[in-house]
């Protein structure tokens, strides 16, 4: 029995079967490469599902974690730390507006905080988008469209109306004076990097302002430079009332944030919400190192440029019907339902990607992916698609 097979067998015997069998048993990584327990090397174009923005084992992140661990790891929310305050100030600076930040451990928790924040408006109605994903905790799940995720746990918190993503008329018809908030992804991530039509987010901003509702942008997957901007909404020229962010923020260390812009930042008051671990010094120090490195190494520009290179390269491959996305969040639509087979064959060939639907692939590589690595990934994918029968 191989090392990987042995670990997989022990996994099945000891962990809840919430994810199915693991595809690999990974032992170490370096940049955009990882190695499994049997010593096989893979090119990682999934990045821990858009989390590992600096790749694996990045020295800046390792140093920040190690240095902070010699000082404080956890202090409780009775106290604060310099890194917590500095990170809140840094995020507000990236938004370019005054406000307040609530730190969490994950994206779904950031969305739970935002959901509770909307109730403090005195209204309960939320308008969300079909095919949107906001997390799997009960509140966030209520905003998530996919029936397979929702139905086993219904009834969920109610008063949520779903509208087709990108449909301006449907959005205008749904938002009224009883709406507490409209929650949208600036680009739908789990759905396969679906970009809304020009003017969609600006119209959402106008409608929410007109009806006194909050505009809440879920940047859990698209934030922290994933699209080539610090936040995906910034390409539309608007400022939302609430922004939730997580995945890339800690570069792999669990952290999320609910950012309330302007008056929205003071809707939650003492006793309204809480967290034990959210914003602890280890996570906030890691997040500061991530933001510093993205800025110092010009990784926003790299994400935008390399993203265009990848999208152009895959657009002409066999079975590719369409290519979507911005920056290093890329969706690849296939002409038939072969995504699972392409995923498995790519993995066997040393390439990690994501099959996010029967006929759709998703790429969310680390920002440190090099041009040579991107070209090698495309070559592997091209060979797999060429060999994959209809």
């Amino acid at each position: 029995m191989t090392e990987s097979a042995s670990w997989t067998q022990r996994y099945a015997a000891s962990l809840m079967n919430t994810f199915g069998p693991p595809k690999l048993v990974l032992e170490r990584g370096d940049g955009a490469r990882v190695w499994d327990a049997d010593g096989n090397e893979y090119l990682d174009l999934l990045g821990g599902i858009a989390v590992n923005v600096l790749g694996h084992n990045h020295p800046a992140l390792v140093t920040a974690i190690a240095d902070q661990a010699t000082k404080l790891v956890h202090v409780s929310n009775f106290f604060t730390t310099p890194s917590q305050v500095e990170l809140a100030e840094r995020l507000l600076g990236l938004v370019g507006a005054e406000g307040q930040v609530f730190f969490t451990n994950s994206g779904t928790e950031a969305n739970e905080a935002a959901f509770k924040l909307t109730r403090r408006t005195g209204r309960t109605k939320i308008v969300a988008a079909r095919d949107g994903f906001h997390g799997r905790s009960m509140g966030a799940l209520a905003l998530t469209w996919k029936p397979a995720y929702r139905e086993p746990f219904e009834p969920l918190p109610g008063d949520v109306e779903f509208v087709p993503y990108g449909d301006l008329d449907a959005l205008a018809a749904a938002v009224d004076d009883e709406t507490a908030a409209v929650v949208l992804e600036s680009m739908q991530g789990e759905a396969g990097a679906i970009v809304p039509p020009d003017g969609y987010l600006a119209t959402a901003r106008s409608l929410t302002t007109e009806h006194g509702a909050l505009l809440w942008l879920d940047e859990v997957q698209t934030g922290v430079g994933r699209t080539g901007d610090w936040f995906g909404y910034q390409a539309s020229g608007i400022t939302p009332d609430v922004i939730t962010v997580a995945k890339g923020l800690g570069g792999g260390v669990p952290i999320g944030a609910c950012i309330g812009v302007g008056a929205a930042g003071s809707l939650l008051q003492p006793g309204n919400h809480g967290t034990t671990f959210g914003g602890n010094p280890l996570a906030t120090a890691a997040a500061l190192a991530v933001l510093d490195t993205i800025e110092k190494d010009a990784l926003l520009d790299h994400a935008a440029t390399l993203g265009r290179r990848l999208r152009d390269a895959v657009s002409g491959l066999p079975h590719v019907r369409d290519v979507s996305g911005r920056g290093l969040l890329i969706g690849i639509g296939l002409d038939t339902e072969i995504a699972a087979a392409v995923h498995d064959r790519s993995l066997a060939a040393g390439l990690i990607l994501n099959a996010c639907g029967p006929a759709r692939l998703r790429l969310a590589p680390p920002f440190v992916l090099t041009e040579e690595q991107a070209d090698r990934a495309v070559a592997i994918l091209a060979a797999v698609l060429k060999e994959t029968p209809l």
Side-chain angles (χ1 to χ4, degrees), residues 65-143:
I65 294 169
D67 286 350
Q68 186 58 51
T70 67
K71 300 172 186 172
L72 290 168
V73 171
H74 179 73
V75 297
S76 90
N77 50 35
F78 289 114
F79 310 103
T80 191
T81 59
S83 61
Q84 185 182 69
V85 176
E86 288 175 6
L87 182 60
E89 292 173 343
R90 188 74 174 275
L91 288 171
L92 290 168
L94 297 179
V95 172
E98 294 184 352
Q100 276 81 40
V101 178
F102 179 85
F103 286 115
T104 67
N105 306 292
S106 67
T108 198
E109 290 175 70
N111 283 331
E112 290 289 338
F115 198 177
K116 288 181 71 175
L117 180 153
T118 68
R119 293 293 177 97
R120 297 291 295 157
T121 64
R123 303 179 185 181
T124 60
K125 177 181 173 181
I126 301 287
V127 177
R130 295 181 63 159
D131 297 313
F133 181 81
H134 303 286
R136 295 174 187 260
S137 52
M138 293 296 273
L141 189 58
L143 310 169

Side-chain angles (χ1 to χ4, degrees), residues 82-363:
S83 61
Q84 185 182 69
V85 176
E86 288 175 6
L87 182 60
E89 292 173 343
R90 188 74 174 275
L91 288 171
L92 290 168
L94 297 179
V95 172
E98 294 184 352
Q100 276 81 40
V101 178
F102 179 85
F103 286 115
T104 67
N105 306 292
S106 67
T108 198
E109 290 175 70
N111 283 331
E112 290 289 338
F115 198 177
K116 288 181 71 175
L117 180 153
T118 68
R119 293 293 177 97
R120 297 291 295 157
T121 64
R123 303 179 185 181
T124 60
K125 177 181 173 181
I126 301 287
V127 177
R130 295 181 63 159
D131 297 313
F133 181 81
H134 303 286
R136 295 174 187 260
S137 52
M138 293 296 273
L141 189 58
L143 310 169
T144 293
W145 165 254
K146 197 170 185 177
Y149 294 164
R150 296 169 52 85
E151 290 175 354
F153 305 100
E154 290 176 340
L156 298 167
D159 214 359
V160 179
E161 180 175 348
F162 290 98
V163 295
Y165 187 66
D167 187 329
L168 294 170
D169 292 336
L171 187 65
V175 179
D176 56 30
D177 290 346
E178 297 181 354
T179 303
V182 173
V183 55
L184 298 169
E185 295 164 274
S186 60
M187 182 198 324
Q188 288 192 320
E190 176 164 303
I194 306 301
V195 180
D198 289 345
Y200 183 63
L201 296 183
T203 299
R205 175 69 283 179
S206 297
L207 286 168
T208 49
T209 299
E210 176 186 348
H211 292 284
L214 299 173
L215 178 60
W216 162 10
L217 269 296
D218 180 336
E219 295 277 353
V220 167
Q221 191 160 151
T222 48
V224 198
R226 175 59 58 186
T227 65
D229 294 302
W230 283 111
F231 301 101
Y233 74 81
Q234 289 175 324
S236 66
I238 65 163
T239 302
D241 302 296
V242 182
I243 305 154
T244 47
V245 62
K247 287 185 179 292
L249 184 57
V253 176
I255 185 171
C258 172
I259 305 169
V261 178
S266 58
L267 285 169
L268 288 176
Q269 290 294 301
N272 286 163
H273 199 46
T275 172
T276 294
F277 298 107
N280 76 36
L282 192 70
T284 50
L288 285 169
V290 168
L291 299 180
D292 286 344
T293 303
I294 290 173
E295 193 169 72
K296 178 174 67 68
D297 294 347
L299 293 179
L300 294 185
D301 289 342
H302 182 64
T305 302
L306 191 61
R308 283 193 292 271
R309 183 188 182 101
L310 271 168
R311 290 196 301 276
D312 289 345
V314 300
S315 62
L317 299 183
H319 295 306
V320 172
R321 185 194 61 211
D322 66 86
V323 180
S324 63
R326 286 206 319 270
L328 287 175
L329 183 58
I330 298 170
I332 304 171
L334 303 172
D335 58 8
T336 187
E337 296 185 352
I338 55 173
V342 172
H343 169 273
D344 291 347
R345 294 182 188 190
S346 297
L347 197 61
L351 174 63
I352 299 174
L353 43 72
N354 179 220
C356 59
R360 198 157 194 89
L361 303 171
R362 177 174 50 170
L363 308 180

Side-chain angles (χ1 to χ4, degrees), residues 356-388:
C356 59
R360 198 157 194 89
L361 303 171
R362 177 174 50 170
L363 308 180
F367 300 171
V368 295
L369 185 76
T370 66
E371 291 184 356
E372 182 274 334
Q373 289 171 330
D375 292 345
R376 182 151 53 95
V378 172
I380 295 172
L381 181 58
V384 168
L385 288 167
K386 187 177 180 180
E387 295 170 359
T388 301

